[in-house]
Amino acid sequence: MEAKKRIAALIKRAMHQAFPDAQDLPDAAQIAGLMEIPPDPTMGDYAFPCFRLAKPLRKAPPIIAQALCAAIDEPRTAQAQVAGGYLNFRLNRENFARQTLEAITPRYGASEEGAGKTICLDYSSINIAKRFHIGHLSTTMIGHSLKRIYDFLGYRTVGINHLGDWGTQFGKMICAYRRWGSREEVEQGGVDAMTALYVRFHQEAEKDPALEDEGRAWFKKIEEGDEEALAIFNWFKEVTLQDARRVYAKLGVEFDAYQGESFYNDKMDRVIRELREKHLLVESEGAQVVDLSEENMPPCLILKRDGATLYATRDLAAALYRKDTYHFHKCLYVVAYQQDLHFRQWFKVLEKMGYPWAKDLVHVAFGMVSYEGQSLSTRKGRMIYLDELLDRAVEKALAIIEEKSPNLEDKQRVAQQVGIGAVVYATLSNNRIKDIDFWWDRALNFDGETGPYVQYAHARCCSLLRRAAEAGGNAAQPRFDALCDDEAQEVLRLLSRFGEVVHEAAERYEPSMITRHVTQIAQAYNKFYYEHRILDEDAGASAARVRLTEATRDVIRTGLWLIGLEAPERM
Ligand code: ARG
């Protein structure tokens, strides 16, 4: 348990002891919420503002502080002292060090709070015939990280790639392929060759508008299950996925299911039928929509004039399918905030259909990616493909390793871990809603608050632990009074908070909280490392510092894992 909670428990006990008849007193969690960190560290480690109790107790804050102070007698946890209306606490540092380090195991921070609950996560969800670019990094890595976080908290998780594999553009692509394409071209050119076909289609269709009908006809064939159309389309899909899987493998990202939009082709009838039965469908300019004017939103389009279903229809079908199949506790959609209206609309439709679990659907929105101040655009050449970015990052990592540690074993592998780590860390370093402006030099920066910096702190701990083991292990009893200095205490404070940070990151769908926390741990440990001799002559002090190093290594490694970074033992 972290120190704050222990002190909150002390305050609670003192409160009931000093004022046994009082009503409406805060509970331990509320007390912890009221506690502050004194502005001046010489005043103590924590402060409790007693004026928050003045109302229920009908007493002046200094009197309350006196009474509480008199009722607290637990020097093993902390010393209390009155300062006006505040009750200040000075932790028993030695005890805090012992308790914190005794609690830290390699799986420290994990819990069973999610036992028996399933979380579905819809992330990455790329579109067929498009190359994987930096605009896809956020959804892919936020989703991947959230999946690991929920796993760690005992939930069952289902990662779903809701592929964009349905739409008239695929009919056009097939049309173009049949007229001007060849198998070799697509096999060699991959997604780029498909895009080229699509571009060609539009150029030709300007001259010959009849092509549009041909494209539509091919799309209809896909939908009707025509053998030739499906064979070509499935092949396009396979080629796109081969590309994507290569990138996923580099990033360590996995899915439990690839269920794209087309997967729901035979699951639409139910949606339409239910909407009709519940009198929610109305006609509007020939189309079928759900009116949302009472909710101050434009209508949600369900069926086009020609009877074709839409993106929202497919999301409704997917939600029903997921609820039936996985019985989820929550279903998260990690999708850019531009789609905010789309999600609000169809979440509302589901609610109107009478499904109370509509409230368990969450749009986990994130900011937009731009490139050096301008929007991404393939046409204008402002586009960065993910494989290129990852390759360049790995190359740079390798160059640095060659320069700084040419004798490192397995350089190529470490360069992968570090280079890719830098990119992933950068993706998860700010609050997800913030827009990201991509600059090459920033993405390839390995100094300051970056993934490699944190990885390096971890490798430093590993190296120190190897040296300690060579020096005969830490057979001595740790002397925890050797960890009472400010630097060690700051590391301990951060380590003790780790579980709470993971929990909050899950609650707010915000992996960046973990990114920030492991960075702070790395910084605090580095400071400790520079100010203190770890392998000291005093065996007991040494053993305690080695134990702190080991705990730091474990927590950083876990934290990095949760945000999708590897932690090399040597760099
Ligand atoms: N493929 C879509 C896009 O690229 C994202 C799909 C997100 N998931 C969903 N269930 N709508 O915009």
Side-chain angles (χ1 to χ4, degrees), residues 481-499:
D481 61 336
L483 298 177
C484 291
D485 57 89
D486 290 350
E487 294 77 25
Q489 289 285 310
E490 177 61 6
V491 178
L492 289 161
R493 189 184 69 80
L494 290 164
L495 295 179
S496 77
R497 281 213 57 208
F498 183 67

Side-chain angles (χ1 to χ4, degrees), residues 122 125-127 162 164 261 311 315 322 333 335 339 342-343:
D122 177 321
S125 302
I126 50 170
N127 297 326
H162 188 77
E261 293 186 40
Y311 185 42
D315 261 329
R322 288 173 192 173
Y333 296 83
V335 184
Q339 296 193 26
H342 164 73
F343 284 102

